[in-house]
Amino acid sequence: MAAIRVGGAIRPLSSVPTRIALSSAKQSAVSSVRMASSFYSGEPEGPVLKTEIPGPKSKEVIAKLDKVFDTRSLNMLADYTQSTGNYIVDPDGNKLLDVYAQIASIPIGYNNPALKKVAESPEMVSSIINRPALGNFPSHDWAEILETGILKVAPPGLNQVFTAMAGSDANETAYKAAFMWRRQKERGGPAVEFTEEELESSMNNQSPGASQLSILSFKTAFHGRLFGSLSTTRSKPIHKMDIPAFDWPQATFPQLKYPLEEHAEENAKAEADSLAEVEHLIKNYHVPPCAVIVEPIQSEGGDNHASPDFFRKLREITKKHEVLLIVDEVQTGVGATGKFWAHEHWDLPSPPDMVTFSKKAQTAGYYFGDPSLRPNKPYRQFNTWMGDPARALLFRGIIDEVQRLGLVEHTAKVGEYLYGKLEALASKYPGQIQNLRGKGQGTFIAFDNPNRDEFLKKAKKFGINIGGSGTSAVRLRPMLIFEQQHADILLAAVEKIISS
């Protein structure tokens, strides 16, 4: 039940006089909405605010944590034992509707009962306490776990997977696969042995072929913060400062203008110019690209979109020049856009060469189909863990629930409803909701706000945990169990943030 502190006591919001509820900085964002989750029992009917955020208990714990852990990027302290469904709870008992979801990483709610069963299964216990070095000692059921989980939802045309630890790791191993694929092709095939010169020079970081290859990414892209992936990340300088980087090319990602229907000609030109730049860089850059990596929606860089036609033509260019196409679905994958994989919206003439994934999958890796993307020798694509069977089991449980409940289709419908309501708010407050984008992309929706950081901070006072991207975007990343009643709570809060 939605509640508010009045005169030192916690009272249901419905019992608070309207004039008090509307004027209080600590009010809940819910008024007439009284439905709980259709997917969860025990989920709150709306946000509950008992203290400021952070409250006294949170501040005490944060101070303790700061002595042993860097808390400068802390958003809010959470009590995950009390969080449930779409609601994140802090140590002071504040319950916020979470449309940020651990940076788009929680697919089917906090403390999901189906995942709890997976976590308590004998398979999971064995995977946790007997964690294998998968390249050397895979378990007897590893093929079955992959086939009934990760590979069950493999993008069309891709039937193999290399499992990894995180999104950055997934991209970096995909880059390695691309480099090895290209050099193997140049040598004449997998049967051609390395020369003594190649073997010796590689130990001195002077391998002649490898040093003359690059990965092409896009401006304002984000592909991770590890050493190699950082050379393709172009969204924020804070990630890249002081880290040596490779001399790799970047193309301009189309900067579309909104509403799309009012800027069709300008946007078509922006996409054509971007594609021309990609082709120019592939043909002329002094360190030739062997692969292009692209996000279906540039997420950390500001929720930047391009049309399906743009991506189809990008695929044609990479095919024409025998360059691999890597689609980074780390943030867009697993249903958030109303398709299981966002690139399914594109209707590509041929599949991407690799698709990387993590976040909502709770595991990570890259899918591929071409057998030549397997290195010609063992140990070339290798590390101790090569993923985590425990997380693969969790993803299998997520897949089962997503399919059982039809959550991809559900997200598409809720997204359509949410986008329509946001359009109405944008018409009412054009200076506050700008460049609304994400139509037809499920709940993967964003808009620009001139005082974005203040907007995000103020949202917590109205019971909403929400995030931003780029310099001015407010991005929505709700879970797949986000429903129309949750959308109504969010919409009411957005309007109160704007008008307060």
Side-chain angles (χ1 to χ4, degrees):
M1 178 177 292
I4 186 171
R5 181 178 295 278
V6 178
I10 305 300
R11 293 171 56 189
L13 186 61
S14 58
S15 70
V16 180
T18 303
R19 64 181 183 276
I20 297 176
L22 291 179
S23 63
S24 172
K26 300 187 183 72
Q27 67 177 350
S28 167
V30 63
S31 53
S32 60
V33 178
R34 309 305 298 159
M35 282 182 66
S37 170
S38 300
F39 301 112
Y40 266 73
S41 60
E43 184 184 85
E45 292 178 352
V48 175
L49 292 171
K50 298 181 178 181
T51 70
E52 63 178 357
I53 298 175
K57 291 182 180 178
S58 291
K59 289 177 180 178
E60 182 180 344
V61 177
I62 292 169
K64 179 180 179 182
L65 178 61
D66 190 59
K67 295 177 181 178
V68 295
F69 186 81
D70 189 350
T71 61
R72 288 173 296 176
S73 60
L74 188 146
N75 182 307
M76 66 175 285
L77 203 68
D79 181 349
Y80 293 110
T81 66
Q82 300 301 312
S83 301
T84 182
N86 291 279
Y87 286 84
I88 187 169
V89 179
D90 74 3
D92 296 282
N94 298 302
K95 302 177 181 180
L96 277 66
L97 178 65
D98 192 356
V99 294
Y100 197 23
Q102 306 298 315
I103 320 177
S105 294
I106 300 293
I108 52 177
Y110 294 111
N111 287 298
N112 183 284
L115 297 188
K116 188 171 185 288
K117 289 181 181 179
V118 172
E120 294 171 344
S121 68
E123 277 182 302
M124 181 65 82
V125 172
S126 177
S127 293
I128 292 172
I129 67 174
N130 304 303
R131 184 177 180 180
L134 282 167
N136 290 140
F137 305 100
S139 63
H140 68 285
D141 56 353
W142 184 227
E144 181 188 0
I145 291 170
L146 293 176
E147 289 167 354
T148 58
I150 291 174
L151 289 171
K152 186 179 179 181
V153 292
L158 309 183
N159 59 4
Q160 298 181 61
V161 67
F162 185 93
T163 49
M165 297 297 298
S168 299
D169 181 28
N171 285 331
E172 292 208 3
T173 50
Y175 299 170
K176 288 174 62 180
F179 290 134
M180 289 185 279
W181 168 86
R182 177 63 169 265
R183 291 292 292 130
Q184 178 176 287
K185 187 176 180 180
E186 292 171 353
R187 287 189 187 96
V192 178
E193 291 293 335
F194 309 130
T195 67
E196 283 300 319
E197 180 188 3
E198 287 177 317
L199 294 171
E200 290 178 13
S201 63
S202 70
M203 298 306 293
N204 295 317
N205 296 342
Q206 295 174 347
S207 182
S211 63
Q212 296 169 12
L213 293 173
S214 66
I215 304 290
L216 190 155
S217 60
F218 288 87
K219 295 175 183 177
T220 58
F222 183 90
H223 299 294
R225 299 182 181 91
L226 292 180
F227 191 83
S229 56
L230 264 179
S231 285
T232 53
T233 287
R234 315 279 188 171
S235 52
K236 293 179 182 177
I238 194 69
H239 303 319
K240 296 170 70 73
M241 285 296 299
D242 300 331
I243 310 300
F246 296 112
D247 184 8
W248 291 354
Q250 59 176 328
T252 304
F253 194 81
Q255 298 298 302
L256 303 186
K257 295 183 178 180
Y258 297 87
L260 294 175
E261 58 274 12
E262 295 179 13
H263 301 278
E265 188 174 334
E266 295 168 86
N267 290 339
K269 183 179 185 305
E271 292 192 341
D273 289 347
S274 175
L275 292 166
E277 186 178 1
V278 168
E279 188 158 29
H280 174 78
L281 289 168
I282 289 173
K283 291 166 64 176
N284 299 296
Y285 196 73
H286 58 279
V287 186
C290 68
V292 174
I293 186 166
V294 67
E295 300 160 90
I297 301 167
Q298 286 192 329
S299 302
E300 299 298 324
D303 269 47
N304 306 313
H305 293 247
S307 72
D309 183 65
F310 170 83
F311 292 105
R312 286 193 291 267
K313 289 176 178 173
L314 180 63
R315 168 80 283 201
E316 291 170 4
I317 289 171
T318 57
K319 277 284 189 182
K320 174 183 173 182
H321 296 285
E322 297 184 303
V323 168
L324 299 178
L325 178 63
I326 304 170
V327 177
D328 180 347
E329 290 258 24
V330 167
Q331 190 157 158
T332 55
V334 193
T337 67
K339 299 280 189 183
F340 200 93
W341 302 108
H343 76 270
E344 293 180 69
H345 285 284
W346 303 343
D347 191 24
L348 289 176
S350 60
D353 296 290
M354 288 179 271
V355 173
T356 60
F357 63 94
S358 189
K359 286 194 180 285
K360 280 187 175 66
Q362 297 289 298
T363 183
Y366 64 87
Y367 294 103
F368 64 103
D370 185 350
S372 67
L373 283 169
R374 280 195 186 189
N376 61 336
K377 294 181 182 294
Y379 287 101
R380 300 198 71 200
Q381 190 73 296
F382 184 86
N383 56 63
T384 300
W385 300 127
M386 293 177 65
D388 183 351
R391 293 294 166 181
L393 288 170
L394 199 62
F395 188 27
R396 185 173 70 178
I398 290 165
I399 292 165
D400 290 344
E401 280 299 278
V402 167
Q403 294 182 340
R404 182 179 73 85
L405 298 171
L407 291 180
V408 176
E409 299 79 9
H410 165 81
T411 297
K413 291 177 182 176
V414 173
E416 184 178 359
Y417 172 83
L418 178 58
Y419 191 90
K421 294 291 186 180
L422 283 168
E423 273 189 315
L425 281 179
S427 296
K428 188 175 180 181
Y429 303 101
Q432 296 295 315
I433 299 179
Q434 304 170 356
N435 302 317
L436 178 64
R437 49 205 183 271
K439 186 174 185 179
Q441 299 289 314
T443 56
F444 214 97
I445 298 168
F447 58 87
D448 294 327
N449 182 271
N451 302 299
R452 193 275 309 278
D453 293 346
E454 183 64 24
F455 184 103
L456 301 180
K457 183 179 179 182
K458 193 179 290 185
K460 285 187 171 62
K461 296 180 180 180
F462 292 90
I464 305 294
N465 183 43
I466 194 168
S469 63
T471 57
S472 60
V474 176
R475 59 171 158 176
L476 305 186
R477 296 294 187 270
M479 304 170 200
L480 305 182
I481 57 165
F482 187 79
E483 299 179 72
Q484 183 172 322
Q485 63 265 26
H486 301 113
D488 288 336
I489 293 170
L490 171 63
L491 290 160
V494 168
E495 183 161 21
K496 288 171 182 174
I497 294 165
I498 291 170
S499 60
S500 64

